[in-house]
Amino acid sequence: MHEIAEIEQALRRAAPHRLVGVVEDALREHFGAMSVELRLADYGLRTLQLVGQSAGADPSVPIHDSPQGRAFGAQEPHVVRGPGALHVHLPVTVRGERLGVLTAELPPGTVLGALLPLLAQLCEALGHEILVAERDTDLYVLARRATRLTLAAEMQWQLLPGRSCARPEFALAAHLEPAYAIFGDNYDWSVSDGRLTLTVTNGMGEGIEAALLTNLAINALRNARRAGLPPADQAALADQAVYAQYRGEAFVSVLLLCFDLATGEVEVVDAGSPRVWRQRGQTVESLDFEAQLPLGMFEDTVYVPERMAVRPGDRLLFGSDGVYAAVSPAGERYGDRALARALRGTRLLPPTQVPQAVLRELAVHHGGSPLEDDALVVCLDWNGPASTVVV
């Protein structure tokens, strides 16, 4: 424990680009590590990308077919015993946000029983420092790229709060496709003062124009939320901002939800095309709200909130029109029946794995050809108030 505390202090003092080197030096000194490497998940959640240069190491390994990927997917340490060393792969995760995997090559005789919890604590500290360091260096952002992002995708990814988040009351995760060339789809969430605010947006257009429009809408919604306004007023303020800029020639569809973490009561504003499905037990149903005007279509639109409630065990799936409106070669929309089947089929998966699983089913439904629009999926599992959650 004393050694881990020393390493945590060294991480806090280190230069932003030196975090991996600090961990490697410390593990060599205290535990005889022969090498240490850090890999971060790429934007498409298909590969784990090496941070920095390591002699003889592959620049990327697949998430779904590698020892590192097993640790990342299961969110548990994965140990590979070789003739000359132990390779310990440890997930690096912060508050439900899966960042990547730290791999330490240790002497073959290392006793892991008491060491693994300490290394897990170290990985959590490393994850926190990576998030802080990203303000001052591009090292970790660049490591997440399996290929170059379009400028529009760069702008959209900078808006996102993360890809997953977990609290005692809920767990949620999201995924965008195509990850490296996204257009107007986006999502946002914030947890504060006993509430979770979640927005799913779809800006019209493509490329830079769509990214600029979505940036304006998301930041207007954040500005209203941070001013303490209720959801309907958040939508109204963002509507005014978009209309003032585009005069009705461009608009943004948004589904805005505010969850009371103590009661499960939800205030909803449905202003456009994103939709939500609820799985309660084995029953999957589309939740239909009163359709209101998208943000920016007309001046001074008045939005009226609706209310619903979630129960412990509920799973909510949010999808953009690029998901539910995608058609099969036979002309059937994915949201008609196939999406409900995919949701039932992924019931036992954690939320972090559901969006990609649903999108894989979407690709099969679409016949394997490229999608014609962005595809955004957000999955939220509701556990209930923290006092009732079984640990």
Side-chain angles (χ1 to χ4, degrees):
M1 184 66 73
H2 176 69
E3 292 86 351
I4 298 300
E6 285 186 2
I7 302 173
E8 290 178 350
Q9 292 179 7
L11 282 170
R12 287 192 288 270
R13 294 192 300 264
H17 63 282
R18 277 279 301 147
L19 298 180
V20 181
V22 167
V23 172
E24 181 169 20
D25 292 344
L27 292 185
R28 285 182 186 275
E29 177 184 351
H30 295 296
F31 305 109
M34 293 171 277
S35 67
V36 172
E37 66 179 30
L38 173 67
R39 295 179 181 273
L40 299 179
D42 86 302
Y43 289 113
L45 285 177
R46 294 181 176 86
T47 61
L48 291 164
Q49 302 288 123
L50 185 65
V51 175
Q53 299 297 321
S54 180
D58 293 332
S60 66
V61 297
I63 285 179
H64 298 293
D65 188 24
S66 68
Q68 297 92 332
R70 289 188 61 179
F72 183 82
Q75 287 295 285
E76 294 179 353
H78 178 65
V79 179
V80 178
R81 298 181 182 273
L86 293 177
H87 288 87
V88 182
H89 307 287
L90 302 129
V92 178
T93 300
V94 180
R95 295 179 179 173
E97 169 71 348
R98 302 182 301 167
L99 300 180
V101 174
L102 181 75
T103 298
E105 185 183 12
L106 299 174
T110 303
V111 178
L112 295 176
L115 181 58
L116 287 179
L118 299 180
L119 292 177
Q121 179 183 337
L122 171 60
C123 286
E124 184 176 0
L126 174 61
H128 278 283
E129 293 304 321
I130 288 172
L131 295 182
V132 173
E134 285 183 339
R135 299 180 304 179
D136 302 313
T137 178
D138 287 337
L139 177 65
Y140 308 103
V141 173
L142 291 173
R144 292 189 175 97
R145 303 177 183 211
T147 187
R148 184 176 179 178
L149 272 70
T150 65
L151 178 55
E154 183 91 47
M155 295 170 66
Q156 295 285 55
W157 277 106
Q158 291 301 312
L159 274 181
L160 298 179
R163 284 181 295 209
S164 54
C165 178
R167 299 289 189 274
E169 300 88 351
F170 68 88
L172 66 86
H175 192 64
L176 273 165
E177 284 290 344
Y180 291 87
I182 48 182
F183 301 125
D185 288 1
N186 211 284
Y187 58 86
D188 194 25
W189 59 64
S190 176
V191 187
S192 59
D193 194 27
R195 293 183 178 275
L196 163 67
T197 301
L198 172 65
T199 57
V200 182
T201 57
N202 182 6
M204 65 178 293
E206 299 181 357
I208 298 298
E209 293 179 358
L212 289 170
L213 174 62
T214 303
N215 265 261
L216 174 60
I218 291 290
N219 280 293
L221 287 166
R222 287 175 176 171
N223 179 257
R225 183 186 74 222
R226 291 164 182 169
L229 300 180
D233 291 342
Q234 293 175 31
L237 186 63
D239 170 70
Q240 293 169 17
V242 175
Y243 185 83
Q245 183 67 31
Y246 292 96
R247 313 304 297 180
E249 295 182 359
F251 51 85
V252 179
S253 296
V254 62
L255 181 63
L256 192 158
L257 304 96
C258 184
F259 295 78
D260 188 313
L261 298 180
T263 66
E265 295 292 321
V266 189
E267 198 169 348
V268 183
V269 175
D270 183 353
S273 60
R275 293 179 56 185
V276 57
W277 284 257
R278 179 180 64 200
Q279 181 167 18
R280 180 171 287 171
Q282 290 300 313
T283 302
V284 177
E285 59 182 334
S286 174
L287 301 182
D288 298 320
F289 303 105
E290 179 183 351
Q292 302 181 67
L293 294 174
L295 307 185
M297 182 171 283
F298 297 104
E299 189 173 13
D300 296 328
T301 302
V302 176
Y303 293 95
V304 179
E306 298 180 67
R307 295 187 179 277
M308 58 173 275
V310 286
R311 302 175 186 170
D314 281 356
R315 169 167 285 179
L316 301 181
L317 189 86
F318 305 84
S320 64
D321 56 1
V323 176
Y324 65 79
V327 296
S328 69
E332 180 184 5
R333 298 198 322 165
Y334 188 58
D336 293 341
R337 293 180 298 176
L339 190 149
R341 289 197 301 269
L343 194 50
R344 292 190 190 96
T346 58
R347 187 67 182 96
L348 298 180
L349 293 178
T352 51
Q353 297 182 26
V354 171
Q356 277 192 298
V358 170
L359 289 171
R360 285 195 295 270
E361 292 295 324
L362 171 62
V364 174
H365 175 85
H366 197 248
S369 57
L371 297 173
E372 298 173 358
D373 195 2
D374 285 6
L376 166 62
V377 174
V378 180
C379 178
L380 184 147
D381 277 6
W382 184 256
N383 303 320
S387 60
T388 66
V389 175
V390 178
V391 179

